[in-house]
Amino acid sequence: MNANPMPEQKSLNRHSRRSVLRQSAGVYAAACSAVLAGFSPLASAQFRVDIAGVGGTQMPIALPDFRDEARAGQPVAAIIRSNLERSGQFRIIDAPAGLFEGSQPLWPEWRARNADALAAGSAARLADGRVDLRYKLWDVVKGQDLGGEAHAVAPEDVRLGAHRIADTIYQKLTGERGIFATRMAYVTKAGGRYSLRITDADGEGGQVALASPDPIISPAWAPNGKELAYVSFETRKAVVWIQDVSTGRRRVLADFRGTNSAPAFSPDGQQVALTLSREGGSQLFIMNRDGSGLRRLTQSSAIDTESVFSPDGRSIYFVSDRGGGPQIYRMAVAGGAAERVTFNGAYNISPAISPDGRTMAFIARMGGNSFRLSVMDLGSGTVQQISDSNDDESPSFAPNGRLLVYATRAGGRDVLMTSTLDGKIKAKLISSAADVREPTWGPFGR
């Protein structure tokens, strides 16, 4: 095995797929089996959320259980509380049950509990079977009513309704858009089978988009949130597919001679960058989303892979071993010379760029076989390590740029973790039935 394995090789090795990918030689091989495509709902919640860490400036907020929330079939208030706490912006204050959106809070009581904000609500079943979720938010410090909302949702959308309430609370108290009603995609492996799952931003709910006995890697969201690109080995080689997330319809985007891997959509969704070995070696190409207009971007003798667009669509960041070991480079989409971006350490991979273009998350080898999540201020070049685990992978920014999701190992299992950009608040999304890898955070607009 190459002493400096490239990113996709490392990912596949973690899944014990060494026979599938030999990236150092640019050759993929896969066992043959038919794919089981289609959508199916998850029968039950797959995750619980463990939150650790202390933030420097967290707003204390009280949010008791919603009145009659058992009628909703979901722990509405607990979903909202975990969303707010996971954001790193809030500290949850214990609150007794009994308050709801029509209550008149006793301000001295809540100030004595050291709450700066208070939210309360209720759930009710409507005659047509829908669930009516209502809430109100108060500023405890000022004794001020900040308003509320009502959401009438289908029973299967109660979780989404709770996420939307959390988004509204987050925006009213921080002035920024919440990300709790967005979605994630990730890959699970259980019992030798792989599944591409699309879930809520907390890792729960959702559906199986693709199930296969063969590996699935590198999922990537289209900016409109309606499609996913990914790599499947179902035809005995790496092929890039695009799939409609609502209908399950899919089509082959890239099935050229050699390997086809690492898709990434442009910010306008009209182009896809990917790694191909059709002309020898592994090089970056770009093509239209309908498969037309293929154009080669890099012209090196190295392995170039893991491309990602800058938010303005003018540049591409990617990983290359052209300098002797894997490092992150940047080049113009129009072509030209590549500029090296990472200089700390001999191994830096998996770039992810924040929505505002100011920060890059990546995985750095810290010595030996310790791979840790780091962030770089792209203006100053300052790097900060934000994880204390040893086997991190696949960072992806939330669409508001305030959180990262990444894959790591904990307790002998492959899990997902979210983290604030300073690393102070982390939430572990622990799978009870499968190893979980390759997360990608979806855009706004659900």
Side-chain angles (χ1 to χ4, degrees):
M1 184 64 68
N2 191 330
N4 288 301
M6 289 298 286
E8 290 180 6
Q9 180 185 23
K10 178 175 176 287
S11 175
L12 288 164
N13 285 352
R14 175 159 320 147
H15 287 295
S16 300
R17 292 182 248 163
R18 291 178 176 85
S19 63
V20 176
L21 174 61
R22 297 173 58 202
Q23 180 73 18
S24 59
V27 178
Y28 286 78
C32 65
S33 291
V35 67
L36 300 180
F39 281 68
S40 61
L42 300 182
S44 59
Q46 300 290 313
F47 291 81
R48 68 179 184 272
V49 179
D50 293 341
I51 298 173
V54 177
T57 56
Q58 293 176 305
M59 178 182 293
I61 182 171
L63 200 161
D65 288 349
F66 274 32
R67 187 177 69 172
D68 297 329
E69 69 173 32
R71 298 179 181 179
Q74 292 281 354
V76 177
I79 293 170
I80 299 170
R81 287 192 294 261
S82 66
N83 283 339
L84 297 175
E85 191 172 15
R86 193 170 57 255
S87 75
Q89 302 294 309
F90 298 92
R91 177 167 53 87
I92 304 302
I93 301 297
D94 289 338
L99 201 68
F100 71 107
E101 75 278 2
S103 300
Q104 296 297 322
L106 299 175
W107 303 123
E109 174 185 341
W110 294 104
R111 289 168 186 150
R113 293 177 179 272
N114 296 314
D116 285 358
L118 170 66
S122 65
R125 284 278 181 170
L126 301 176
D128 61 4
R130 291 182 300 166
V131 178
D132 185 32
L133 300 177
R134 296 173 178 266
Y135 89 99
K136 184 169 284 189
L137 178 66
W138 295 273
D139 182 326
V140 174
V141 176
K142 297 179 180 179
Q144 182 179 353
D145 184 338
L146 298 180
E149 287 183 342
H151 295 268
V153 299
E156 62 269 22
D157 290 333
V158 168
R159 285 188 56 82
L160 178 57
H163 291 317
R164 286 176 172 162
I165 291 173
D167 279 341
T168 303
I169 293 173
Y170 181 94
Q171 186 162 9
K172 285 185 176 181
L173 295 178
T174 70
E176 298 180 349
R177 190 171 180 181
I179 45 78
F180 310 119
T182 60
R183 292 180 291 184
M184 285 186 187
Y186 53 83
V187 176
T188 64
K189 181 187 177 186
R193 297 193 63 80
Y194 300 85
S195 296
L196 175 61
R197 296 179 182 266
I198 302 169
T199 71
D200 294 348
D202 60 1
E204 298 194 41
Q207 72 268 341
V208 176
L210 181 70
S212 174
D214 300 299
I216 304 165
I217 62 172
S218 304
W221 283 96
N224 62 11
K226 297 179 180 180
E227 293 179 315
L228 274 172
Y230 55 86
V231 177
S232 171
F233 289 81
E234 66 204 65
T235 61
R236 303 181 63 89
K237 62 176 291 191
V239 176
V240 177
W241 295 76
I242 290 183
Q243 182 161 328
D244 185 297
V245 299
S246 62
T247 67
R249 287 194 299 267
R250 63 186 193 137
R251 58 185 173 85
V252 171
L253 177 68
D255 185 13
F256 298 104
R257 179 178 63 86
T259 66
N260 309 266
S261 61
F265 282 95
S266 62
D268 64 4
Q270 298 306 304
Q271 294 182 305
V272 179
L274 64 168
T275 300
L276 305 176
S277 65
R278 56 175 301 198
E279 298 176 13
S282 296
Q283 294 289 285
L284 300 187
F285 289 74
I286 191 168
M287 65 196 314
N288 297 327
R289 64 177 301 279
D290 64 2
S292 65
L294 183 68
R295 174 170 62 91
R296 183 168 172 171
L297 288 177
T298 55
Q299 305 286 337
S300 75
S301 59
I303 296 173
D304 297 337
T305 188
E306 286 200 316
S307 57
V308 60
F309 285 85
S310 61
D312 63 11
R314 297 177 181 177
S315 301
I316 281 185
Y317 293 76
F318 64 98
V319 176
S320 177
D321 64 355
R322 62 185 61 194
Q327 296 289 346
I328 298 170
Y329 292 78
R330 175 175 53 214
M331 67 179 295
V333 171
E339 169 193 11
R340 184 167 164 178
V341 177
T342 52
F343 292 92
N344 292 3
Y347 187 104
N348 297 287
I349 63 171
S350 303
I353 310 301
S354 63
D356 63 8
R358 298 178 179 177
T359 306
M360 180 177 73
F362 62 100
I363 302 299
R365 185 161 67 184
M366 307 305 294
N369 288 316
S370 177
F371 299 91
R372 294 186 177 178
L373 177 64
S374 299
V375 294
M376 174 188 286
D377 182 300
L378 290 171
S380 67
T382 302
V383 174
Q384 178 186 0
Q385 177 189 313
I386 64 171
S387 78
D388 53 8
S389 43
N390 294 314
D391 209 1
D392 302 339
E393 267 193 1
S394 307
S396 179
F397 277 93
N400 68 356
R402 289 294 186 176
L403 289 175
L404 283 160
V405 64
Y406 61 102
T408 190
R409 285 187 65 82
R413 300 301 302 270
D414 294 345
V415 301
L416 299 188
M417 186 85 74
T418 63
S419 175
T420 53
L421 300 194
D422 59 8
K424 291 182 178 179
I425 302 293
K426 295 183 176 67
K428 185 163 52 182
L429 309 176
I430 307 175
S431 171
S432 60
D435 288 324
V436 190
R437 308 305 316 169
E438 310 258 6
T440 178
W441 208 315
F444 287 122
R446 182 177 177 182

